[in-house]
Amino acid sequence: MIGLQSNAQLTSWLTQGQVLFLLIHILGVVCFAYIVAKRLEPLVRGQRDLRFDQPLARLGRVFKFWLGQWKHPRYRVAGTLHILIFAGFILLAMRAFTVLIVGVSQNFVMPGLSGRAGPIYNTVTDYAATVVFLCMVFAIVRRLVFKPSRYAVPARYGKAHTADAVFLLALIAILMVADSLFAAAKAAAESQQGRPLEVLAVFSLPWMLQSALASTSIPILGRLYFSGYLLHEVTFYFLLCYRPFGIQFHVETSLFNVYFSKLNRGTLKPVRLGVSDEHLDQVKSFGVKTFEDFTWKHMLDFYSCADCGRCSDNCPANAAGRPLSPRFISIKARDYAFQHYPMFGHAGNGKPLVGSKESGGIYSEDEIWSCTTCGACEEECPLLVEYIDKIVDLRRGMIDDGNVPQSLQKPLKALESRGNPYGKMEKKRGDWANAKDFQQNCRVKTLDKQNGADTLYFADSITSYDDRMQSIGRATAKILDHVGEKFGILGAAERDSGHEVRRFGEETLFMALRDHNVDAIKASGVNRIVTADPHAYNALKHDYKNVPFVEHISQVIAREVKSGKIKFNPLEDEKNVYTYHDPCYLGRHNQIYDDPRDVLDAIPNLERVEMTRSRDRSFCCGGGGLMLFYEPKEDERIGVKRVRMAAEAGANVIVTACPFCMVNIEDAIKVAGLEGKMTAIDLAELVDQQIARETQEVA
Ligand code: SF4
Ligand code: SF4
């Protein structure tokens, strides 16, 4: 602004507006503060959440996921657009504040920009404004013309927010034009007087506007200068105050949402944070029933969802046509918050969230039971919005009200009385190890006071009782035996790990199963635990406390392949093409992606291909544990979709490392009509089959 005082006509326009500009500033700031205070109201009423620990780890996440936009490139077009817009906003922030202050203090220069840095910063921001403007135009065209399918809103979830999105994009474009017009009018006026103080960046939006205004008279330039300023100021404050009413609120909340995001994968939120298990009997109501039962952080999630649709795009339940789309878990709750916490008037209504629309509900029961807790939504979300904890909390609320799906009642009762969902006798739990042909090669001892061991093989229910899955148990035992592990099982003393029981909201039953297992594990005196079931692995690792170190069998095998204790015979049938399916509770929840692949790649003659959706983008098999007993409405089974993905990748053998995946995939192969063309095998079974034992030739 230096030198403008000499341009009397131009500055007079700005000077005349000073009072008006100041009033707009005050009004804008007061309105914004009021709106934000109202938006914070439900958070204050929400449940407590402990998110103030580990500040350095949290700051690291801010740098990676917020400033570094880490997840955005996973969607190339939308991600690139977002990164450009975000970078533009960050660069333009100082310029926007400078322009705002200039309205009331014309000679203001942002500290640090009075010297040489000023022109450099101005050049960079001229281009930034141009890029943001072009991105807005592109984003509007994309929303209106190309309409990526993930933005669509099925009728059952309400109305699309397209108009809102386009309006906000247009406002940002206007802000860029206003900013550029302000700079261009000033530069054009200076240029006409032969004393340009600032050279606008060539081919930038301000530069183009300046070129267009080159022969405009000074009085008109003055009006444009004033208009550009006024438009910038009004649009800026309008945007600031309008954003908290729609999806763009994430601009304000995302930084906080990322900072306070969940740090520990695989874990589940306790029933009530700050209340120990021993004192849970004093908690009057479990889970989320009304909106205020959500924690403040989960409410912040609702505000922070940008409605980008990436979570739903990756959700297997949504893909299979189940009545669940995670994006709308957030959007419906946010709309609920906006409606029931209005800017003026009475707040909250205390009605149950799950139930019919007529009774004030926003979620259906099927919607909440449809989730497999696979974690794909959370893995994909650029803003680190959480879903599993919320869905489990909603289930806890339903269970607390005695609202259990019919098909789950029997397995839950059996788990309570027998410690397994099949209702089979406890004493038969270790029978899988007594098969005669198996005992000739491998003896598995049941651990007790007399029979100790270093390692516990925790089989869990499905491997113990399901005839087909017992083969995984025997293969695992033979591998442990082969590498010289001194191990045993708990046999009748083992109970279901309770992993899925907990994720289905039955916390009390889970605690009973867990406590029984912890006592049995402690009594066995083992130093480590191995399991071939990723659900048991996740439970022992994250849901149990004070139990020895636990490993999945794929980790043990990978290590022993490296150590040389496990060597493989070459595969005889070289025509088969293998693909590895990542079980959600091994991959996404526990980041074990490489060990199973390293093992497969160590088998001579094994040809392996990757499915498009693999590793952290793996597609759930349909869900394990109690999900096997639940029959949701769906267009096509999740497992069938997964099997088709394997076929598309050119594979005819699907290797997995989870007994639940095996159930779903083998079943899906039949349903998809691929019997005879496609098979499934567990990693432990394949390894056991290919291990070069002493009597055999080593590859
Ligand atoms: S939760 Fe995350 S991924 Fe899903 S729509 Fe919202 S911002 Fe996008
Ligand atoms: S956890 Fe999996 S099934 Fe559940 S909402 Fe997320 S993506 Fe969908």
Side-chain angles (χ1 to χ4, degrees), residues 309-329:
R310 295 174 184 214
C311 50
S312 298
D313 201 29
N314 285 274
C315 171
N318 184 44
R322 291 186 186 183
L324 167 66
S325 174
R327 162 189 172 203
F328 295 104
I329 295 282

Side-chain angles (χ1 to χ4, degrees), residues 202-449:
V202 183
F203 296 126
S204 67
L205 186 59
W207 180 86
M208 283 187 257
L209 286 173
Q210 184 202 351
S211 306
L213 298 173
S215 51
T216 308
S217 67
I218 292 288
I220 292 179
L221 284 176
R223 284 188 196 100
L224 288 173
Y225 186 62
F226 178 87
S227 309
Y229 185 86
L230 192 60
L231 185 62
H232 179 276
E233 194 182 26
V234 171
T235 312
F236 179 91
Y237 282 115
F238 183 79
L239 256 176
L240 196 68
C241 296
Y242 183 72
R243 277 199 299 240
F245 291 88
I247 59 169
Q248 287 273 347
F249 197 19
H250 77 272
V251 175
E252 273 85 20
T253 62
S254 58
L255 186 138
F256 302 101
N257 208 52
V258 170
Y259 181 85
F260 291 118
S261 61
K262 185 173 175 173
L263 296 178
N264 307 319
R265 279 172 186 271
T267 59
L268 207 58
K269 172 191 164 290
V271 170
R272 195 58 61 84
L273 284 148
V275 178
S276 66
D277 288 353
E278 294 75 42
H279 295 105
L280 267 188
D281 52 353
Q282 291 164 17
V283 173
K284 284 194 189 126
S285 168
F286 276 31
V288 167
K289 293 175 186 171
T290 65
F291 187 74
E292 292 71 22
D293 291 331
F294 280 120
T295 72
W296 63 263
K297 170 59 177 69
H298 287 170
M299 293 178 182
L300 187 64
D301 272 352
F302 299 142
Y303 287 164
S304 304
C305 172
D307 202 12
C308 70
R310 295 174 184 214
C311 50
S312 298
D313 201 29
N314 285 274
C315 171
N318 184 44
R322 291 186 186 183
L324 167 66
S325 174
R327 162 189 172 203
F328 295 104
I329 295 282
S330 290
I331 299 298
K332 287 192 284 185
R334 192 198 60 201
D335 289 350
Y336 178 97
F338 288 178
Q339 191 187 343
H340 293 284
Y341 285 85
M343 284 298 127
F344 306 98
H346 184 67
N349 78 348
K351 291 205 173 142
L353 292 177
V354 180
S356 64
K357 276 188 191 153
E358 296 70 42
S359 63
I362 56 170
Y363 303 130
S364 74
E365 290 175 19
D366 285 347
E367 187 173 6
I368 302 307
W369 292 117
S370 285
C371 173
T372 69
T373 70
C374 73
C377 48
E378 298 186 359
E379 187 71 45
E380 209 60 49
C381 179
L383 295 160
L384 311 187
V385 169
E386 297 153 25
Y387 282 107
I388 296 173
D389 281 342
K390 292 186 194 116
I391 287 172
V392 170
D393 253 345
L394 285 158
R395 289 175 176 177
R396 285 172 176 156
M398 285 195 280
I399 294 264
D400 196 45
D401 285 344
N403 196 352
V404 185
Q406 184 76 29
S407 59
L408 292 180
Q409 291 178 8
K410 213 169 144 195
L412 283 170
K413 275 218 170 68
L415 277 155
E416 207 174 323
S417 57
R418 292 265 175 237
N420 70 82
Y422 315 103
K424 298 205 175 171
M425 306 277 277
E426 295 92 322
K427 65 179 181 190
K428 292 194 174 293
R429 202 169 178 101
D431 281 3
W432 61 270
N434 299 332
K436 273 198 188 131
D437 52 343
F438 168 70
Q439 276 194 326
Q440 284 164 5
N441 301 316
C442 177
R443 289 214 162 257
V444 178
K445 66 178 166 188
T446 303
L447 303 175
D448 54 32
K449 279 188 187 133

Side-chain angles (χ1 to χ4, degrees), residues 131 134 137 176 184 244-245 299 317 575 587 604 622 639:
V131 168
L134 292 175
V137 174
M176 295 303 114
F245 291 88
M299 293 178 182
K575 284 190 214 128

